Amino acid sequence: MSHVSLDLVRRYVNGDKDIPADQVWALEAHMETCASCRQLLATRTDSLAPLLQTVWSGIETVEPPAKHRRIPTWAAPAGGPWLGMTLLVAVVAMLLDLLGMTEVPLVMLLAPVAPVLGVAMAWNRAMDPAYELVSATPRAGLHLALRRTAAVLVVVIPALVLAGLPSGTSPALWLLPCLAFTLGTLALGSVIALSHAAAILAGLWAGLVVGPSLINSNLPQLLQPASLPIWASIVVLCVVVMALRADSYARLR
């Protein structure tokens, strides 16, 4: 509408209940941007003029709101320290390998479970101060957990590759197990908290594989080329479990 008609203004001021709702909405929306029509409205009643002037002066003096901070979707708010700890562990393992303090490349032994610390923070109610807002977003749940997990892998995997270079550790032997443990943490996290899932899987790997391998000074069979089909099967199984239990990620545990 170009301008409000005098008759419509008169009916609006007098509280006419027969004005269609769409016309009322259009009139009020137009008043927000048209000073001349606001003045016309003010002239229809003396009692309304001071109120309009007071309200409009308050609106004009309000500063525009600061730009809203976006909810982090590619990195967990509390994931930084855990990610830093993971990188520190990789550096320490590389130094130990360089010093020859272990017969088996320590980087290779730790690489499969290295990302799980960061993954544990991807969808964790206790570690996300904005969990109520996060859980209400359209992309919350498994979609958000996968995005944050991808952000962890983008950082951790290149770091592990660089850490394994001095000892000649081949990423081909630990990359698939690393993916299996990452997806396994997410799959088990659909039943229990992700932090608990990460702790269980990392603890089992440390107790059943890392410890005996360091004691026996032998590369475990689970990191031999013959075991890759097994890891591939685990990856497929975890993907199926995650797909079937996708709805369980609707809430932060």
Side-chain angles (χ1 to χ4, degrees):
M1 58 195 305
S2 56
H3 286 289
V4 180
S5 67
L6 183 59
D7 180 64
L8 182 58
V9 171
R10 178 186 57 78
R11 295 173 62 192
Y12 180 78
V13 171
N14 293 332
D16 190 342
K17 301 297 184 182
D18 294 330
I19 303 176
D22 58 337
Q23 291 188 22
V24 174
W25 177 86
L27 183 148
E28 293 176 345
H30 179 74
M31 288 294 180
E32 295 180 1
T33 59
C34 183
S36 62
C37 287
R38 289 197 304 272
Q39 186 63 31
L40 176 62
L41 179 63
T43 59
R44 301 309 300 169
T45 173
D46 294 335
S47 62
L48 188 59
L51 177 60
L52 284 175
Q53 185 61 33
T54 301
V55 172
W56 190 253
S57 61
I59 294 175
E60 290 179 335
T61 56
V62 173
E63 296 182 359
K67 185 178 181 181
H68 295 290
R69 295 184 61 187
R70 296 182 61 187
I71 295 176
T73 57
W74 284 104
W82 294 90
L83 197 57
M85 183 184 301
T86 300
L87 298 178
L88 179 61
V89 169
V91 171
V92 171
M94 179 186 67
L95 293 177
L96 292 177
D97 288 340
L98 285 174
L99 295 175
M101 300 185 67
T102 57
E103 296 293 333
V104 182
L106 190 57
V107 172
M108 180 178 291
L109 293 178
L110 298 179
V113 294
V116 299
L117 289 178
V119 175
M121 301 300 105
W123 194 238
N124 190 308
R125 175 173 180 167
M127 295 295 178
D128 195 338
Y131 72 89
E132 291 181 346
L133 293 176
V134 172
S135 59
T137 57
R139 293 185 175 182
L142 180 59
H143 184 275
L144 185 59
L146 289 175
R147 289 174 66 127
R148 291 179 172 180
T149 298
V152 171
L153 295 178
V154 166
V155 176
V156 172
I157 288 181
L160 292 173
V161 173
L162 294 176
L165 290 178
S167 61
T169 300
S170 174
L173 296 179
W174 57 259
L175 193 55
L176 197 57
C178 180
L179 181 60
F181 268 99
T182 299
L183 296 179
T185 301
L186 291 173
L188 185 57
S190 67
V191 181
I192 60 177
L194 270 180
S195 56
H196 296 164
I200 291 172
L201 294 180
L204 289 175
W205 180 259
L208 299 179
V209 177
V210 177
S213 297
L214 293 176
I215 294 174
N216 299 327
S217 300
N218 291 323
L219 189 66
Q221 293 296 322
L222 289 175
L223 291 178
Q224 300 286 358
S227 66
L228 294 181
I230 298 176
W231 291 113
S233 301
I234 295 175
V235 168
V236 173
L237 177 62
C238 292
V239 170
V240 172
V241 171
M242 290 166 57
L244 294 176
R245 295 189 55 81
D247 292 341
S248 65
Y249 288 87
R251 297 177 303 275
L252 283 168
R253 295 180 184 274

